[in-house]
Amino acid sequence: TEQHTDDKTKKIYSHYINQNSEQLLKFFDQIFHLAIVETGKANIKNEKFLLSEFLQKTTRKYQKRIKSLKKNIDFIFSIDDEKYEIETDQHKLKLILENLLDNALKFTDKGYIELSCKTHKESFIFEVNDSGCGLKEDEMELIFDPFRQGTEVMSKITGGSGLGLANVKNYVVLLGGKIWCASNKPNGSKFCFTIPTPDIEKNDSLDHLQYLFKN
């Protein structure tokens, strides 16, 4: 009974209740995002904004999270021109980046997480690298499928829904881009996605973009 439960035990119970509640809310949120895309009800609200300010805000958020988690991780941010303006759905771009960075943070205990943005022909190319446990070649082909999380070990570690990357891919496609992942040798993962911009020359093929980021 409650009168026989000491304060330390109550705190432990409270922690697990809060943790599981957050995971349940996140699961419902991921289901919601998957459903609105698959039913064709996802609206795109394009707006023009300064990309460097947007990404720096994201960087500060994750630097604070790393500090609160007390992980020995360096968060690296780079953009090849701070004057870039992008015209896209800012909220959906935020969801894409935060899902990728959340995964990087889950799988990385030490080393680094890197967020970068470059341009290539008619696209902005965003890249999220980490020095975590990485993915196998066969996992890279399945990682964007709903309810897939890579290896069974990874699934147990994260306790995730397996919907985050499926939603990421859906939103990247909705914004007119492409997404892929690669091994980040000697260890870790690399996720790259494109967002088109009309202000730069015509885009090359996805195969060429993948070659650029694997070498």
Side-chain angles (χ1 to χ4, degrees), residues 20-35:
N20 289 328
S21 297
E22 288 174 5
Q23 287 181 353
L24 188 60
L25 285 171
K26 189 169 184 179
F27 176 71
F28 285 131
D29 185 58
Q30 299 283 20
I31 287 284
F32 169 76
H33 284 290
L34 188 67

Side-chain angles (χ1 to χ4, degrees), residues 74-105:
D74 291 323
F75 194 100
I76 304 164
F77 165 65
S78 66
I79 185 169
D80 60 356
D81 190 332
E82 294 189 355
K83 296 179 182 178
Y84 283 143
E85 282 192 331
I86 188 171
E87 187 170 358
T88 191
D89 189 313
Q90 186 171 169
H91 178 62
K92 288 179 176 59
L93 179 58
K94 181 174 180 284
L95 289 173
I96 292 165
L97 286 171
E98 290 190 352
N99 267 288
L100 293 177
L101 290 168
D102 284 346
N103 273 352
L105 194 53

Side-chain angles (χ1 to χ4, degrees), residues 14-194:
S14 177
H15 169 74
Y16 282 117
I17 289 169
N18 289 334
Q19 186 181 54
N20 289 328
S21 297
E22 288 174 5
Q23 287 181 353
L24 188 60
L25 285 171
K26 189 169 184 179
F27 176 71
F28 285 131
D29 185 58
Q30 299 283 20
I31 287 284
F32 169 76
H33 284 290
L34 188 67
I36 62 172
V37 171
E38 293 193 346
T39 55
K41 294 181 179 180
N43 296 319
I44 302 298
K45 296 180 180 179
N46 287 338
E47 58 183 310
K48 191 173 279 190
F49 56 94
L50 192 62
L51 193 52
S52 61
E53 288 184 359
F54 172 81
L55 295 176
Q56 284 166 3
K57 185 176 179 180
T58 302
T59 295
R60 288 192 293 271
K61 176 179 178 177
Y62 279 86
Q63 286 172 334
K64 287 179 181 178
R65 282 193 61 187
I66 289 168
K67 188 175 181 180
S68 69
L69 291 170
K70 298 180 179 178
K71 287 191 172 186
N72 187 23
I73 298 171
D74 291 323
F75 194 100
I76 304 164
F77 165 65
S78 66
I79 185 169
D80 60 356
D81 190 332
E82 294 189 355
K83 296 179 182 178
Y84 283 143
E85 282 192 331
I86 188 171
E87 187 170 358
T88 191
D89 189 313
Q90 186 171 169
H91 178 62
K92 288 179 176 59
L93 179 58
K94 181 174 180 284
L95 289 173
I96 292 165
L97 286 171
E98 290 190 352
N99 267 288
L100 293 177
L101 290 168
D102 284 346
N103 273 352
L105 194 53
K106 283 178 184 178
F107 296 134
T108 308
D109 292 320
K110 61 181 180 179
Y112 70 91
I113 294 171
E114 181 181 12
L115 169 62
S116 65
C117 179
K118 304 174 184 178
T119 59
H120 181 72
K121 300 295 178 78
E122 204 175 48
S123 292
F124 288 106
I125 307 173
F126 299 84
E127 188 174 349
V128 175
N129 296 332
D130 66 65
S131 58
C133 59
L135 292 165
K136 297 177 181 178
E137 288 291 334
D138 57 339
E139 293 170 342
M140 292 178 196
E141 298 175 5
L142 304 171
I143 198 70
F144 296 109
D145 293 346
F147 302 105
R148 289 295 182 94
Q149 297 173 292
T151 64
E152 185 180 351
V153 173
M154 288 165 62
S155 299
K156 288 179 179 178
I157 290 171
T158 62
S161 65
L163 293 173
L165 289 176
N167 284 324
V168 164
K169 182 179 180 180
N170 284 340
Y171 280 133
V172 168
V173 172
L174 271 176
L175 297 181
K178 298 180 176 70
I179 186 166
W180 65 96
C181 63
S183 176
N184 189 24
K185 297 177 181 179
N187 60 317
S189 300
K190 177 187 295 187
F191 286 84
C192 308
F193 68 94
T194 65

